[in-house]
Amino acid sequence: MTDLLIHDATVVTVNRENQILKNGSIRVTDGTISSVEPTDPADRDSTAEHVIDASGKIVIPGLIDAHRHTDFTLVQGLFSELDGSELLKEAFALYHTAEPTLGESFFEAAWELACLRQLTHGVTTVNAMDFTPELGAEAVGESGVRGVIGPELADFVNPASASEQLADARRFIDTYHDSYEGRVTASIAPGGEAGCSRELWEGVAELRADYPDLRLHTHLYDSAEADTMAAGSGADDPLDLLDRYGLLDERTLLTHLLHANRDDARRIADAGAHVLHCPTVYSYFQAGNRTWFPLPALREFDANVVIGLDDPFWFDSWDLIQEAKHARMLSNFQYGAQQWSSYDLLEMLTIDAARALGLDDQIGSLEPGKRADLAIIDVDTPRHQPYSNLPSVLTNSVTAGDVETVVVDGEVLMEERAVRSMDVERVRTAATRERERLQTRTGWETSLAGSTPPKKSILRRVSARPLLRAMRQYGRGVVNQHNW
Ligand SMILES: [Zn+2]
C-alpha cells in the first residue's frame, strides 16, 4: 500500500548513477521510498493515501545542514552590523547572561523558530551543537524534522565544570539518542581546542569509548592560536590533540579549518574524518588572502567536505542553498574558477552530508529502501525558466524561498508552503515575545534603523570567572586582539 505518491516530477535522485528523471514518480510506504520510476499515466489516478502532482517541479533529497548552533536564533539583526571584535564581545556577553536573565523560554522559542525556518527552507536534517540540547531534541522531534544534536562541551566558555558538563552529556545521550522514531540522535560535541581543558578532553575520550556509534563533532583550527591552545592540553597541534585521545577517525566531524594547512588536510583525509565548511562566518571576519579554508588540499587528498550555516547571527542566514553558492564563490575567489561544480554542491548538501553523519544508508538520496526525506521546489517561473542545466539552476538561481513542499520520514511537514507539523502562529508569537524580553532585559536598543548594544561595559555584564578563563585560554588571541 503506497502512503505517498509524487508524480510527474523532475527527480534529482543524487544516487550513485547521478540519475535525473525528467518525468518521475516516487512512492513511499511506511516512511520508506519503495520506488523511483518514470511516471506511469495510471499514477495520475492513483488511490494512494496522499498524492502530489509535481508537474513543473523538481524533487531533491532533503537538504542537510552539517553544522549549526541554534541557541541564539532570536538574536537576528542585533549583531549583523557590528565589526568583528564588537560582535565577539557581544556574543560572549550574551552567552553568559542569556540563561540567568532570560531563562528556558527564550531558548525554547529559539529552537522552535529554528525548526520552522529549517523545514520551510528545505532543510530536513540538522547537525547541531548547542548549550540547550534537551530543548533542541524536543523541538526537533516535535517539529518532524531530523536532527543530530550534540551538547556543546566547553569548560572555558560555559561556567559549569568539565565533570558537570560531561555528566549532563551522558544523561542527554541516554535520554535522547535514537528518540522520536530514530529522527533524533546524539553526538559528542567538544567545542574545540579553544574551549576545552585537558580534563574535559579526557572525559570526552571516555564518552567516545562508551558510545562508539556516535559522531564526534568539534571546531578545529578556527584561530591563528590553534596550536598554542592545543599545547595547553599537552598536544603538538589540534589534530594531534584529537589523535592522542583517540578522537580522530571516520566518525569525526571537523568544522572551520580556517588556519589548517596542506599537511593538516592530508592527515584529516587519511583519518577518514569529515569536514564541515561554513563560509559565511569567515566572510564576516574578512579573512581573505591571509587565511582561508584549504579546499584544494582537501580535494587533492579526497576528504569529504560538506556545508553548514553555523550561528545564525553572522549575516542572519538560513538559506543553505545560498550558503553552498557562497562557498563556491569564495573558493573561486581564493583559488580560481571551477573549484566545485554545481553537482558537487548538490552532493555536498545531500548524500555527502549524510555520509558525514553516518546516515547515508537512510537518507541523502532518493532511492528505494531509504527513508523519504525530500523537498519539492517550484521552478516553473520566469525567474528560473528556461533552463537546461538543472544542477546549475538548483545551486545558482534557486533559493530556500522556492521550496514548496517538504517530506521527512514519509510525513508531509509542509505542502504548497502550508506548514502542517507546527503551529506557525504559536511559534511566531513566542519568538516575538522572547525577542522583546531579550531587548528589555539585556539593554539592547533596537529600531527599524538598526540595533545598538547595551551601554554597560562587558566587564560589568559578565561574571569574572568565565571572562578570566576565556582571557587565559585565548592568550594573544581574540581577547587581546579585539581590545576587550
Ligand atoms: Zn560552530
Side-chain angles (χ1 to χ4, degrees):
M1 175 64 192
T2 300
D3 301 322
L4 171 65
L5 169 67
I6 300 165
H7 66 80
D8 287 293
T10 300
V11 183
V12 182
T13 63
V14 201
N15 66 9
R16 279 191 190 82
E17 291 76 41
N18 304 336
Q19 208 175 5
I20 298 176
L21 275 68
K22 196 171 177 189
N23 195 43
S25 290
I26 300 172
R27 283 185 168 70
V28 178
T29 305
D30 288 335
T32 299
I33 297 172
S34 49
S35 69
V36 181
E37 291 169 345
T39 294
D40 185 292
D43 291 349
R44 294 169 197 137
D45 304 315
S46 168
T47 55
E49 198 173 308
H50 195 140
V51 179
I52 296 175
D53 178 353
S55 314
K57 293 166 189 174
I58 299 172
V59 186
I60 61 169
L63 304 174
I64 300 173
D65 184 346
H67 179 71
R68 165 58 96 184
H69 306 284
T70 315
D71 288 333
F72 288 106
T73 297
L74 300 180
V75 169
Q76 175 152 320
L78 294 191
F79 292 172
S80 48
E81 306 290 340
L82 299 179
D83 74 26
S85 59
E86 286 297 311
L87 186 148
L88 284 172
K89 274 198 289 188
E90 292 305 328
F92 189 82
L94 202 61
Y95 269 106
H96 287 277
T97 52
E99 201 177 354
T101 311
L102 298 161
E104 206 167 85
S105 60
F106 175 77
F107 297 104
E108 199 169 48
W111 275 100
E112 289 188 351
L113 184 63
C115 289
L116 179 61
R117 285 190 175 152
Q118 279 154 9
L119 95 83
T120 54
H121 288 50
V123 173
T124 54
T125 299
V126 62
N127 181 40
M129 178 197 282
D130 280 284
F131 292 110
T132 57
E134 292 86 1
L135 297 176
E138 302 209 352
V140 167
E142 296 294 331
S143 72
V145 297
R146 204 179 287 280
V148 181
I149 299 171
E152 183 160 355
L153 302 166
D155 54 338
F156 289 131
V157 180
N158 185 336
S161 70
S163 60
E164 285 167 338
Q165 292 186 44
L166 289 159
D168 286 346
R170 199 172 280 274
R171 216 168 10 251
F172 174 79
I173 294 166
D174 290 340
T175 309
Y176 289 103
H177 181 60
D178 202 19
S179 62
Y180 292 94
E181 298 88 39
R183 283 186 292 103
V184 173
T185 55
S187 70
I188 301 167
E193 74 272 0
C196 305
S197 69
R198 192 187 294 225
E199 182 193 352
L200 193 135
W201 286 113
E202 286 165 1
V204 166
E206 284 172 21
L207 263 186
R208 188 69 175 313
D210 291 345
Y211 298 96
D213 294 339
L214 301 195
R215 264 12 197 187
L216 188 287
H217 179 193
T218 191
H219 301 91
L220 220 65
Y221 287 111
D222 58 358
S223 94
E225 284 73 36
D227 287 351
T228 310
M229 292 171 187
S233 293
D236 295 339
D237 60 39
L239 286 171
D240 180 50
L241 172 67
L242 294 185
D243 210 14
R244 281 177 190 230
Y245 288 108
L247 301 172
L248 184 63
D249 57 35
E250 68 287 345
R251 297 164 295 150
T252 303
L253 312 176
L254 305 173
T255 188
H256 296 333
L257 303 183
L258 192 66
H259 295 263
N261 60 28
R262 187 181 150 78
D263 183 48
D264 302 323
R266 185 183 47 73
R267 291 158 72 195
I268 289 165
D270 285 350
H274 308 267
V275 176
L276 320 178
H277 180 36
C278 308
T280 294
V281 181
Y282 291 105
S283 320
Y284 203 102
F285 287 106
Q286 299 176 307
N289 286 329
R290 288 173 292 165
T291 49
W292 193 246
F293 181 72
L295 175 67
L298 289 163
R299 283 181 67 106
E300 182 183 337
F301 300 120
D302 206 21
N304 184 31
V305 176
V306 297
I307 304 280
L309 285 161
D310 203 78
D311 268 304
F313 49 65
W314 302 98
F315 287 111
D316 303 325
S317 171
W318 290 88
D319 188 331
L320 195 62
I321 301 169
Q322 291 294 300
E323 190 75 8
K325 182 175 181 177
H326 196 180
R328 176 154 69 172
M329 291 194 295
L330 285 162
S331 292
N332 287 3
F333 178 75
Q334 179 73 0
Y335 301 116
Q338 300 302 329
Q339 295 299 318
W340 277 305
S341 72
S342 298
Y343 199 80
D344 289 338
L345 297 182
L346 266 184
E347 289 184 306
M348 290 160 74
L349 296 177
T350 56
I351 190 66
D352 291 350
R355 191 150 52 89
L357 299 179
L359 297 173
D360 50 322
D361 59 335
Q362 297 176 50
I363 57 171
S365 61
L366 300 175
E367 35 193 339
K370 288 207 177 179
R371 303 303 287 170
D373 286 17
L374 55 89
I376 304 181
I377 297 170
D378 184 8
V379 289
D380 195 12
T381 70
R383 198 155 65 81
H384 301 305
Q385 299 278 3
Y387 65 80
S388 60
N389 177 346
L390 191 52
S392 157
V393 172
L394 286 169
T395 53
N396 287 333
S397 315
V398 162
T399 67
D402 296 316
V403 173
E404 203 180 74
T405 296
V406 172
V407 175
V408 176
D409 228 24
E411 295 292 323
V412 182
L413 305 186
M414 178 171 83
E415 186 167 9
E416 296 188 6
R417 296 196 169 85
V419 175
R420 298 177 161 195
S421 62
M422 301 186 80
D423 182 342
V424 176
E425 279 317 303
R426 192 184 62 75
V427 173
R428 290 185 65 177
T429 303
T432 304
R433 181 192 68 228
E434 294 301 322
R435 171 59 185 245
E436 280 167 8
R437 289 180 66 233
L438 165 75
Q439 290 167 206
T440 52
R441 300 203 180 185
T442 61
W444 273 90
E445 283 176 23
T446 68
S447 72
L448 292 179
S451 311
T452 317
K455 294 191 176 55
K456 205 163 147 189
S457 101
I458 186 172
L459 294 167
R460 300 186 60 184
R461 280 186 278 153
V462 177
S463 66
R465 184 170 162 231
L467 190 64
L468 288 172
R469 277 179 157 194
M471 292 181 81
R472 202 163 45 233
Q473 174 69 358
Y474 277 69
R476 292 174 290 110
V478 175
V479 174
N480 291 343
Q481 237 173 45
H482 298 301
N483 305 313
W484 282 56

